[in-house]
Amino acid sequence: MSSTFTISARDVQEMARHWLSTPVNGYLGSDYGQDGKSMLQKPLENNEYAEEFLAKLRRDVPVFSALPPEMTRLEYEDHYPDKREIFLRVIGQTFQINADDI
């Protein structure tokens, strides 16, 4: 008897929410989690830091490796003179990474 399990878009979005709300090393013995605030002072224009961030997401939550790249994007908005907001877009849902209430 075979059983199937379906992961919905909402499930994936909740996985992203959990990962975003967990600081790196938030679990003993694991580097699971993110440090999005560290990106605030780095140049995101060259995509290096954004790719590192998304690569860590894919390592920590393997289901993201199965998604097409356009389903998971990192974007930012600058608000002059001194504010940057960073967003993770996952299957139509937007999460503000540097927000205190992810």
Side-chain angles (χ1 to χ4, degrees), residues 2-94:
S2 70
S3 62
T4 59
F5 181 75
T6 303
I7 297 176
S8 69
R10 178 135 175 95
D11 293 333
V12 174
Q13 292 165 347
E14 288 303 314
M15 290 177 204
R17 182 184 312 281
H18 181 267
W19 185 78
L20 288 169
S21 66
T22 305
V24 174
N25 300 319
Y27 289 104
L28 185 62
S30 172
D31 71 344
Y32 176 90
Q34 60 84 26
D35 183 17
K37 291 181 181 181
S38 70
M39 288 190 296
L40 291 176
Q41 300 301 318
K42 297 179 181 177
L44 296 179
E45 290 84 8
N46 68 6
N47 253 0
E48 178 183 339
Y49 298 107
E51 287 304 317
E52 287 176 14
F53 187 85
L54 292 174
K56 177 134 179 35
L57 171 62
R58 290 181 187 109
R59 281 193 310 274
D60 288 353
V61 188
V63 72
F64 285 95
S65 295
L67 294 175
E70 65 272 7
M71 300 300 277
T72 307
R73 295 189 323 265
L74 197 62
E75 301 173 356
Y76 68 93
E77 291 179 13
D78 284 331
H79 302 277
Y80 294 98
D82 62 354
K83 185 173 182 181
R84 172 171 282 176
E85 294 178 308
I86 303 173
F87 303 94
L88 176 66
R89 299 195 196 280
V90 176
I91 312 175
Q93 175 95 22
T94 301

